[in-house]
Amino acid sequence: MATDDRLILVPGELPFSDLHAFWRQPKPVEIAPSAWGAVEASAETVARIVAEDQRVYGVNTGFGILAKHSISQDQVHELQRRLVLSHCAGVGEPLEPGVVRLVMLLKAGSLARGYSGIRKSVIELLVNLLNADACPVIPSQGSVGASGDLAPLAAMSAVLIGEGEVLLKGERLPGGEALARLGLEPVILEAKEGLALLNGTQVSTALALDGLFRGLDVFAAALYAGAMSVDAALGSDTPFDPRIHEIRGQLGQITVAGWLRRLLDGSRIRTSHLECDRVQDPYSLRCQPQVMGAAYDLIGQAAGMLAREANAVSDNPLVFSESGEILSGGNFHAEPVAFAADMLALALSEVVALSERRVALLTDAHMSSLPAFLIAEPGLNSGFMIAHITAAALAAETKTLATPAVVDSLPTSANQEDHVSMATHGARRLRAMTVNAANVVAIELLASAQGIDLRAPLATAPELAKAHRAIRERAATLIDDRPFSPDVQKIADLVVEGFFYDGLWPNSEADLFLP
């Protein structure tokens, strides 16, 4: 539950809207006081089992294939410490701080549901670090998405025991030094606590959510760009007639057609060619509801899966304090996240593919009835020629990144963990895809804005005129050739800042069609 100044985290009840708002603009987090009773009961259950010397996986045994090895009571603390240290085996560039903040938020929420056997003080330390904007340095590579995101979560957890590294106010510090600067004490982990911190799908889920949120910004911008391209190319709005889409019944398609009608409503460019002799537009204009609608259905399905996973308990074993049992299962297996990430990748690839085709259409004088390469003096000027080549290069690269990750699996841990999800790198690759997609859509926005300029004095629709003004505030009409890259970057920034997202969903996530 978000307030103006903080996010009150009710474990298991973190809404999609609060997740998105926290990703866009972090605010202090507070665990709802109602959560602590279950947390304390769970920790007490573990303490009782240790005291009674019951043999329970992860509490007083080794891990993975080493579960057959029993651990004596006087070694329980050292077992948890060594578990964290041994799992700090990740490599690669550190995760971006915004993703790390999401990881910490999701981990705190999962632990605070009271099924992990971890003490309140450990969760509070994690939240204190989050609120101090002290980001553990988490290597981005090294997780196969089962048994949880072990290596990256170990890098986060190492900081809680005074190890690892932290990014604090732009400075990279040893974990113990960062804690000291913040006036915080490292914890000595009790039985089960290291395992509770390391098990779970929070890293792959955070990466997938980051891809989802960035993908929504791109999706909204692509709809604006597609509508502007319809006007610039003297396309028809007849293919968006609601009757066409209602008799098919695909919800995403119906929704997208409605958005396109709204964006194009009132266009003087459209009314100027109502009686033209063109029978049909190319698919990249005409079939936007069918293609973008199917992509939106996939995005919605992925969003629902990730919203549930963000609230899930995904470590192992799980503590059911009501019955006093500790049950071993497989909630750490990130298969739902892997499928969600692959669905997002497919959707993004198709959004990019359609956008690139519209850039190609606009720059082709035979297809658009506009000057060649959208420049008033072609020949002397190359106009949008090379910008389209850039869009084609990015589209081709994005298609290769869309190859599903979930279908691959390599057994680990001496074949104890013999099927894994590959969710983590499947989700991590979404960042590169969204960057590519934002650049391709930025090129289309520039091209369609240029086409609308060339239709003057005819005016585009009022809603599209707002987008056109925003584009022109950052990038002037192309009269003579100039370096194109700065303009693309400026409009890509407009995309990722959420300008088009806010235009498409003025009431934020309340308007999102999600299962």
Side-chain angles (χ1 to χ4, degrees), residues 16 18 30 72 84-85 139 143 200 202 224 235 238 258 271 276 312 343-344 348 372 390 443 454:
F16 184 88
D18 285 357
E30 178 183 324
S72 63
V84 173
L85 297 178
S143 173
Q202 286 78 32
Y224 271 85
T238 298
T271 56
C276 71
M343 287 191 290
L344 290 170
L348 280 166
T390 298
I443 291 169
L454 292 168

Tab-separated table of all heavy atoms in Angstrom, residues 16 18 30 72 84-85 139 143 200 202 224 235 238 258 271 276 312 343-344 348 372 390 443 454:
chain	number	residue	atom	x	y	z
A	16	PHE	N	0.450	-4.552	-8.328
A	16	PHE	CA	1.238	-4.235	-9.519
A	16	PHE	C	1.515	-2.741	-9.591
A	16	PHE	O	2.620	-2.312	-9.938
A	16	PHE	CB	0.476	-4.704	-10.758
A	16	PHE	CG	1.232	-4.524	-12.044
A	16	PHE	CD1	2.082	-5.507	-12.505
A	16	PHE	CD2	1.084	-3.379	-12.803
A	16	PHE	CE1	2.783	-5.352	-13.698
A	16	PHE	CE2	1.782	-3.205	-13.986
A	16	PHE	CZ	2.629	-4.196	-14.432
A	18	ASP	N	1.857	-0.538	-7.200
A	18	ASP	CA	2.898	-0.125	-6.259
A	18	ASP	C	4.283	-0.582	-6.732
A	18	ASP	O	5.277	0.140	-6.563
A	18	ASP	CB	2.612	-0.688	-4.867
A	18	ASP	CG	1.483	0.050	-4.161
A	18	ASP	OD1	0.962	1.037	-4.729
A	18	ASP	OD2	1.101	-0.361	-3.050
A	30	GLU	N	8.295	0.272	4.425
A	30	GLU	CA	8.022	-0.137	5.808
A	30	GLU	C	7.204	-1.422	5.769
A	30	GLU	O	6.205	-1.505	5.055
A	30	GLU	CB	7.245	0.963	6.528
A	30	GLU	CG	6.859	0.642	7.956
A	30	GLU	CD	6.021	1.756	8.577
A	30	GLU	OE1	6.276	2.935	8.264
A	30	GLU	OE2	5.103	1.437	9.363
A	72	SER	N	26.168	-30.596	13.442
A	72	SER	CA	25.914	-30.526	14.887
A	72	SER	C	25.432	-29.132	15.286
A	72	SER	O	25.640	-28.153	14.553
A	72	SER	CB	27.192	-30.878	15.658
A	72	SER	OG	28.201	-29.925	15.384
A	84	VAL	N	26.487	-18.783	2.676
A	84	VAL	CA	26.440	-17.496	1.985
A	84	VAL	C	27.743	-17.239	1.240
A	84	VAL	O	27.753	-16.890	0.052
A	84	VAL	CB	26.136	-16.357	2.976
A	84	VAL	CG1	26.270	-14.997	2.282
A	84	VAL	CG2	24.741	-16.511	3.568
A	85	LEU	N	28.861	-17.440	1.922
A	85	LEU	CA	30.159	-17.142	1.303
A	85	LEU	C	30.434	-18.047	0.105
A	85	LEU	O	30.917	-17.590	-0.937
A	85	LEU	CB	31.269	-17.279	2.344
A	85	LEU	CG	31.206	-16.297	3.528
A	85	LEU	CD1	32.332	-16.576	4.507
A	85	LEU	CD2	31.254	-14.856	3.054
A	139	PRO	N	26.751	-9.439	-9.001
A	139	PRO	CA	27.137	-9.837	-10.363
A	139	PRO	C	25.919	-10.366	-11.124
A	139	PRO	O	25.079	-11.076	-10.573
A	139	PRO	CB	28.182	-10.931	-10.131
A	139	PRO	CG	28.719	-10.659	-8.760
A	139	PRO	CD	27.553	-10.141	-7.978
A	143	SER	N	23.315	-17.499	-12.335
A	143	SER	CA	22.120	-18.194	-11.852
A	143	SER	C	21.438	-18.909	-13.004
A	143	SER	O	21.312	-18.359	-14.104
A	143	SER	CB	21.141	-17.203	-11.230
A	143	SER	OG	19.914	-17.863	-10.900
A	200	GLY	N	15.185	-18.619	-3.657
A	200	GLY	CA	14.120	-17.723	-4.095
A	200	GLY	C	14.346	-17.204	-5.501
A	200	GLY	O	15.458	-17.240	-6.030
A	202	GLN	N	13.785	-14.023	-6.573
A	202	GLN	CA	13.650	-12.561	-6.565
A	202	GLN	C	14.506	-11.860	-7.620
A	202	GLN	O	14.099	-10.827	-8.139
A	202	GLN	CB	13.984	-12.010	-5.176
A	202	GLN	CG	12.913	-12.270	-4.134
A	202	GLN	CD	12.939	-13.684	-3.597
A	202	GLN	OE1	13.994	-14.307	-3.499
A	202	GLN	NE2	11.769	-14.212	-3.245
A	224	TYR	N	1.653	5.046	-30.443
A	224	TYR	CA	1.655	6.432	-30.923
A	224	TYR	C	2.367	6.523	-32.271
A	224	TYR	O	1.878	7.172	-33.205
A	224	TYR	CB	2.344	7.349	-29.919
A	224	TYR	CG	1.427	7.922	-28.868
A	224	TYR	CD1	1.139	7.221	-27.711
A	224	TYR	CD2	0.842	9.180	-29.026
A	224	TYR	CE1	0.301	7.740	-26.739
A	224	TYR	CE2	0.008	9.717	-28.059
A	224	TYR	CZ	-0.266	8.989	-26.917
A	224	TYR	OH	-1.104	9.513	-25.962
A	235	GLY	N	-2.700	6.726	-44.597
A	235	GLY	CA	-3.361	5.450	-44.380
A	235	GLY	C	-4.802	5.626	-43.951
A	235	GLY	O	-5.257	6.730	-43.641
A	238	THR	N	-10.123	2.807	-41.377
A	238	THR	CA	-11.163	1.790	-41.501
A	238	THR	C	-10.754	0.456	-40.865
A	238	THR	O	-11.585	-0.196	-40.221
A	238	THR	CB	-11.529	1.580	-42.983
A	238	THR	OG1	-12.046	2.803	-43.516
A	238	THR	CG2	-12.578	0.479	-43.144
A	258	GLY	N	-9.141	0.132	-30.326
A	258	GLY	CA	-9.755	1.274	-29.647
A	258	GLY	C	-8.768	2.393	-29.388
A	258	GLY	O	-9.092	3.579	-29.557
A	271	THR	N	-9.183	13.140	-43.164
A	271	THR	CA	-10.376	13.590	-43.906
A	271	THR	C	-10.019	14.098	-45.295
A	271	THR	O	-10.871	14.121	-46.191
A	271	THR	CB	-11.120	14.687	-43.125
A	271	THR	OG1	-10.221	15.775	-42.850
A	271	THR	CG2	-11.663	14.149	-41.814
A	276	CYS	N	-9.920	8.697	-51.711
A	276	CYS	CA	-8.783	8.309	-52.555
A	276	CYS	C	-9.012	6.912	-53.141
A	276	CYS	O	-9.908	6.175	-52.708
A	276	CYS	CB	-7.487	8.351	-51.754
A	276	CYS	SG	-7.336	7.046	-50.521
A	312	ALA	N	5.193	-13.962	-3.975
A	312	ALA	CA	5.283	-15.377	-3.621
A	312	ALA	C	6.328	-15.654	-2.547
A	312	ALA	O	7.256	-14.883	-2.335
A	312	ALA	CB	5.620	-16.190	-4.872
A	343	MET	N	7.828	-14.766	-23.028
A	343	MET	CA	6.666	-14.128	-23.650
A	343	MET	C	6.919	-12.644	-23.894
A	343	MET	O	6.561	-12.095	-24.947
A	343	MET	CB	5.428	-14.324	-22.771
A	343	MET	CG	4.880	-15.736	-22.795
A	343	MET	SD	3.253	-15.888	-22.021
A	343	MET	CE	3.656	-15.627	-20.306
A	344	LEU	N	7.532	-11.987	-22.925
A	344	LEU	CA	7.866	-10.568	-23.107
A	344	LEU	C	8.847	-10.384	-24.252
A	344	LEU	O	8.739	-9.430	-25.037
A	344	LEU	CB	8.443	-10.002	-21.811
A	344	LEU	CG	7.466	-9.831	-20.655
A	344	LEU	CD1	8.209	-9.489	-19.363
A	344	LEU	CD2	6.435	-8.750	-20.964
A	348	LEU	N	8.142	-8.099	-27.493
A	348	LEU	CA	9.026	-6.989	-27.839
A	348	LEU	C	9.574	-7.136	-29.257
A	348	LEU	O	9.660	-6.155	-30.010
A	348	LEU	CB	10.190	-6.920	-26.851
A	348	LEU	CG	9.905	-6.267	-25.499
A	348	LEU	CD1	11.031	-6.574	-24.523
A	348	LEU	CD2	9.732	-4.765	-25.655
A	372	ALA	N	11.379	11.033	-51.201
A	372	ALA	CA	12.268	9.916	-50.917
A	372	ALA	C	13.070	10.181	-49.647
A	372	ALA	O	13.654	11.255	-49.472
A	372	ALA	CB	13.211	9.681	-52.102
A	390	THR	N	19.804	1.687	-39.463
A	390	THR	CA	19.990	1.464	-38.027
A	390	THR	C	18.807	0.712	-37.440
A	390	THR	O	18.978	-0.238	-36.655
A	390	THR	CB	20.185	2.807	-37.301
A	390	THR	OG1	21.359	3.447	-37.789
A	390	THR	CG2	20.306	2.603	-35.795
A	443	ILE	N	13.188	6.116	-33.836
A	443	ILE	CA	13.399	6.411	-35.257
A	443	ILE	C	12.058	6.527	-35.975
A	443	ILE	O	11.856	7.423	-36.804
A	443	ILE	CB	14.296	5.329	-35.891
A	443	ILE	CG1	15.723	5.450	-35.335
A	443	ILE	CG2	14.299	5.439	-37.416
A	443	ILE	CD1	16.634	4.286	-35.690
A	454	LEU	N	5.602	17.149	-43.482
A	454	LEU	CA	5.547	17.262	-44.939
A	454	LEU	C	4.109	17.289	-45.463
A	454	LEU	O	3.901	17.594	-46.646
A	454	LEU	CB	6.323	16.100	-45.580
A	454	LEU	CG	7.847	16.144	-45.366
A	454	LEU	CD1	8.491	14.819	-45.762
A	454	LEU	CD2	8.475	17.302	-46.150
